[in-house]
Each structure stands twice: as C-alpha cells, then as structure tokens.
Amino acid sequence: MSSLANGGRRKSNSESSSMDVEDEQIINKMVSFNISDNLTDESDGGSFVNGVKRRTANPRITRTSQDVEKGRMYKGRTKSLYGVMPNCKFGPCGSILDDSATSLTIPDPGSQKLNWHKPPLTVLVIKKMHDENALSAFTQLVKWLIQEKNMAVYVEKAVFDDAMCSENPVCRGLQKQIKTFEEEKDELTNKIDFVICLGGDGTLLYASSLFQASMPPVMAFNMGSLGFLTPFSFQDFKGQVTQVLEGNAGLLLRYRLKCVICRKDSQMSKIPHVKQIQRSHSTVQSKTHMLVFNEVVVDRGQSPYLCNIDLYVEGKLVTTVQGDGLIISTPTGSTAYAVAAGASMVHPNVPAIVITPICPHSLSFRPVVVPAGVEIKIMVSPEARNSAWVSLDGRNRQEIFEGDSVRITTAQYPVPSVCAKDQMDDWFESLAECLHWNVRKPQKPMPTLIDSPSTNSLTGNSDSSS
C-alpha cells in the first residue's frame, strides 16, 4: 500500500467513486433560487400549481413536503455553492416550529439577477457637482439616452443651477429635453425605472436618500476619489448600459437601516416596535424617519465630556457606551466609518447589523455583529453629563436629550446595485484597489542550500568512508 507524504493513505477507486456520489448529494441539497420564486412548505397556505403548493406573499422558492424529506429542491438555475437551506430537524424529536415566518434561508448571490417586468422608460441621472469630468460624461450619457434609447431623463434642478453647467452650451441645449426635480419637494418613487450615478460613493448615498421606499436598480460609474461602491468605468458606457437595459446584469441587494428618532413623550415613542412605525406617524419625515445606506452615528458632538449612552438590543439593555460615540452600520457601511473605528469588513450580501464603538474608554469593548432584523435602541443615559448628536449617513445631524431614543432595524427596502462582474469579484476588487487590503512586499523564497558537511549532517547523509 502506497502512503502519502502527510501520513495518510491513498483512496481506492471504490472510495473515490463513493465520495463523488456523496459530493453530488451534498450539492443537490444546496438551494439555488430566483428571487421571483417562492420557497414554502405545503402548510404555508396558498394554492396548488402542478402539484406544488405556492404562496405569493413571500418571494422564495416553492417546495413540497416530499422534497423536504428527500433533501431535494426545485432548481431555477444551475447548481450553486451558496444559498444553503439549513436542515431544521434536530435529531429524532426536535425541529423549528412549522411556520413560514420562521423558515430559514440564506440568499444565493448567483441567483440575484435583474429582471425587467416591462421595458424601463424613465431614468434618473445623478452627477457629481462641480466636477468637469463628470459634466462631460453627463452630457454624453444624457444625449445618448434621449436620442438613442428614447428614455425620459430626470435630473436634479441644482445641476443646471451650477455655473459650470449653465455656461456649457451642450448642457443648456439638453436642459429643454430633461425633466427636473427638487430634493424634499418632488416624490420620485413611482416615476423612476432606473438610476445612473456619475461620481464617487457619495453620489450613491445621495441616490439612496432620494428613495425612502422601493428603489429602482442603480448603476454607478466611478468618477470620484475612492470609488469603492462604483464598479463601472465610463469608457464603454453605451455597451454597459445597454446590457443592463436588456436585463443582462447581476444585482447586489445592499441592506439599508430604518432609523426613527423618537422624542420624549411623543406618539412614536409609545409604539412598541420600530417596524410598526410608518412614515405617516412622523411629523418631520426627512429629519426623524430615514432609510440609511451606510450608518447611523451617535456621538458627543462638541462636548468635552465622554458620550454616555445606553444600548438596547431587542428591548434589553446590553451595555452603556462610554466614549466618543457609537456606529450602527449596514454591511455596506462596515467598510466606511466603521472600519476606521476597528470593525470587521462584512460582505454586503450578509444579513447583519454591525455595532462599533468610537474610541471607547474600555479596552474590552470590541465591535459586534448582530443578525439583520433585530431592533436596536439608543438612549442618552440618565447619568450622562451632556446630550448626544445623531447623524444619518453624515446628514440630518440633530441633537438628542435624555428621554429621546434612536430606534434602528433592518429596512425592507434594499438598494439594488448593478454588478460590473459579480458580487464577489466586485467586492474583493474594491478591497484590493481602493483600500489596498493585505498589500505588502512578498516574502522572498528560501535560498537553495549548498551541499556541505553541515547540511549533509542535517539530512543524515554523512560520509561513511571517512
């Protein structure tokens, strides 16, 4: 019997074939889904379609109880190594309560493909302000969208108020063919089919703030300083945009946070769960009730004293933060302010919320990651010497006092970002190109040992004739 260098033995042909069968069985249990399908048990309610019971309330795959018993799933696409469906039967007696609301699924990145139910007709173009390169790209793109694609183009009114644009004859000529809007005055949610950003990461954050409910697919071209969230180059914009308009694109669903600032003794503060708070309950919607793309930051502001705030998770006080403040971020925001404060970098497809202290006055206070959907509440501690300040994606900064609360959870409306390659390549490429992740000089190889008495003695090859 031949042996391997690590002391193990080689597998026989029969063992190899059995391993191949086992591997295929494991892969067959992987769930690969299309986000337009359903994933439910027969007990979930709904109707039978071709012998399979379906539900329309939740966008998941359909399966039957017989398929669950056999560990097989209906596949809407090729096999994938992602999207594992956890087995919710634990031993001979235990299982998770048979309820559709508690079904566990892990999204399959390879299945998140863009699907247009009807051809997109309207497009919102957001450009970086006061930038000559962005202006040149803006005029080229808008002219092409109007003349070649016959699309209605929306642009913020402030773009044409900029002196750089008003002095450009091409830009002035296009103004008559473009529909304009004003932030906080015009509602865009049901008017826009597609969003294109020309600029840096800030343009994508701004685009997110314009849609406080369902957001259209967004395609971001890198014309800024960092470009971590903008994977597309403008050189071949016609071919790239055409591919997206034809539905040949992958999506990355970037989670957002629902943040509600509740003042002491207000009506909103009496609502038990932040998920139940609707925007109609907010008196100043743009200031106190927002969907946040990157992070919610609570800090000490200009006060010289430590920030003293209480952190609640699912209604329970978990700790009191004493330091410069606290960052509650999305997975996308984990590579922004949070990573500078020591948080781990979390892939945007991971359903999670990252809690990161800012300069805590404790050596043991480390950042933590909690499941998406938990309810987080932040309040100024009764023992605090000063108030605190809240900012949402770096905007809408406002002061909170004792009795006020900042309530946060995962929003149901993500930002559907169009991928240049795919979810994994885009993210790791951004880590390498923008943040220089794990960049260092390579270690030199071990120099070749020259045969000598000393080296021979180490290898046991001594001269027996001497």
Side-chain angles (χ1 to χ4, degrees):
M1 179 182 296
S2 60
S3 60
L4 299 176
N6 60 4
R9 65 180 183 85
R10 297 186 184 276
K11 297 181 178 67
S12 64
N13 292 334
S14 59
E15 288 175 319
S16 298
S17 60
S18 64
M19 289 295 292
D20 293 339
V21 172
E22 291 178 4
D23 292 342
E24 185 171 352
Q25 290 175 348
I26 293 174
I27 293 175
N28 284 336
K29 293 181 181 180
M30 299 293 185
V31 178
S32 50
F33 71 96
N34 188 304
I35 55 177
S36 62
D37 294 333
N38 286 335
L39 172 57
T40 61
D41 287 323
E42 291 179 349
S43 59
D44 292 342
S47 58
F48 281 96
V49 178
N50 296 328
V52 179
K53 200 166 191 177
R54 293 182 179 271
R55 242 176 19 109
T56 58
N58 213 349
R60 292 175 290 189
I61 284 183
T62 304
R63 58 176 177 160
T64 62
S65 57
Q66 289 85 356
D67 290 317
V68 176
E69 288 293 326
K70 295 176 182 178
R72 296 170 182 160
M73 295 290 171
Y74 285 99
K75 301 176 179 64
R77 59 185 297 276
T78 57
K79 295 175 182 177
S80 171
L81 295 181
Y82 304 103
V84 181
M85 176 66 185
N87 190 324
C88 297
K89 293 184 178 180
F90 316 120
C93 299
S95 69
I96 283 184
L97 181 66
D98 189 9
D99 184 356
S100 61
T102 61
S103 60
L104 301 180
T105 58
I106 300 174
D108 179 358
S111 290
Q112 295 176 359
K113 304 294 183 183
L114 176 59
N115 176 45
W116 299 109
H117 297 293
K118 56 184 179 180
L121 302 176
T122 58
V123 57
L124 170 65
V125 179
I126 300 176
K127 67 171 288 292
K128 184 179 181 181
M129 299 293 289
H130 317 298
D131 187 279
E132 188 173 347
N133 292 331
L135 179 61
S136 174
F138 170 77
T139 55
Q140 294 180 59
L141 175 65
V142 170
K143 187 176 181 179
W144 178 74
L145 289 170
I146 295 174
Q147 297 179 357
E148 300 293 332
K149 296 300 181 180
N150 297 317
M151 299 188 73
V153 178
Y154 283 76
V155 175
E156 188 177 10
K157 183 177 179 295
V159 171
F160 296 104
D161 294 337
D162 182 16
M164 186 176 293
C165 185
S166 61
E167 295 173 0
N168 186 299
V170 178
C171 193
R172 288 200 309 268
L174 291 172
Q175 186 173 359
K176 299 177 182 179
Q177 307 174 59
I178 293 175
K179 298 181 179 181
T180 60
F181 73 94
E182 294 185 59
E183 185 185 8
E184 297 183 359
K185 288 187 178 181
D186 298 316
E187 179 61 44
L188 299 175
T189 301
N190 296 320
K191 297 179 181 179
I192 305 300
D193 299 327
F194 183 38
V195 180
I196 297 178
C197 294
L198 304 173
D201 296 344
T203 58
L204 188 56
L205 266 73
Y206 179 65
S208 171
S209 69
L210 296 175
F211 296 89
Q212 291 299 303
S214 177
M215 183 171 181
V218 56
M219 185 178 188
F221 288 92
N222 181 19
M223 293 185 176
S225 303
L226 189 63
F228 192 90
L229 305 176
T230 53
F232 288 93
S233 173
F234 192 75
Q235 294 178 349
D236 184 28
F237 77 92
K238 294 182 181 180
Q240 292 172 329
V241 174
T242 299
Q243 287 287 318
V244 177
L245 294 177
E246 292 176 353
N248 300 322
L251 290 178
L252 172 57
L253 303 183
R254 296 184 180 273
Y255 295 93
R256 290 194 284 182
L257 297 176
K258 177 180 180 180
C259 177
V260 181
I261 299 175
C262 301
R263 297 299 177 180
K264 183 178 180 181
D265 299 327
S266 67
Q267 284 297 116
M268 284 193 299
S269 65
K270 299 175 183 178
I271 300 176
H273 299 288
V274 66
K275 296 182 179 70
Q276 299 171 348
I277 300 177
Q278 305 299 323
R279 286 182 66 83
S280 58
H281 293 134
S282 178
T283 55
V284 187
Q285 295 181 359
S286 62
K287 298 293 183 181
T288 62
H289 189 155
M290 290 285 294
L291 298 189
V292 179
F293 186 75
N294 263 354
E295 72 272 307
V296 178
V297 177
V298 181
D299 60 58
R300 61 189 177 92
Q302 298 181 351
S303 172
Y305 300 112
L306 288 175
C307 194
N308 198 335
I309 52 179
D310 293 333
L311 173 64
Y312 296 81
V313 177
E314 289 293 295
K316 297 178 181 176
L317 177 64
V318 294
T319 191
T320 297
V321 180
Q322 297 182 86
D324 281 354
L326 192 66
I327 304 169
I328 310 296
S329 64
T330 63
T332 297
S334 70
T335 51
Y337 191 1
V339 75
S344 294
M345 296 183 291
V346 181
H347 188 277
N349 204 66
V350 178
I353 299 175
V354 184
I355 302 175
T356 309
I358 307 172
C359 298
H361 201 249
S362 169
L363 296 177
S364 60
F365 195 173
R366 304 301 302 155
V368 295
V369 179
V370 296
V374 302
E375 296 194 13
I376 296 172
K377 183 171 69 173
I378 300 171
M379 300 185 70
V380 176
S381 177
E383 292 79 24
R385 297 184 178 183
N386 53 289
S387 61
W389 287 81
V390 183
S391 59
L392 314 177
D393 277 341
R395 307 178 71 194
N396 295 327
R397 190 165 174 80
Q398 50 198 297
E399 193 172 9
I400 59 171
F401 304 89
E402 183 182 347
D404 298 339
S405 62
V406 182
R407 303 169 70 179
I408 304 164
T409 191
T410 304
Q412 67 178 118
Y413 299 109
V415 174
S417 300
V418 178
C419 300
K421 296 179 182 177
D422 60 51
Q423 293 186 358
M424 296 300 162
D425 281 358
D426 286 359
W427 192 65
F428 279 105
E429 197 168 288
S430 293
L431 289 182
E433 294 293 328
C434 301
L435 301 183
H436 294 176
W437 178 58
N438 196 30
V439 173
R440 70 178 295 271
K441 290 184 178 181
Q443 186 181 41
K444 294 181 179 180
M446 184 73 74
T448 304
L449 295 176
I450 303 174
D451 289 340
S452 65
S454 59
T455 58
N456 287 335
S457 62
L458 290 175
T459 58
N461 297 327
S462 59
D463 190 355
S464 58
S465 61
S466 57

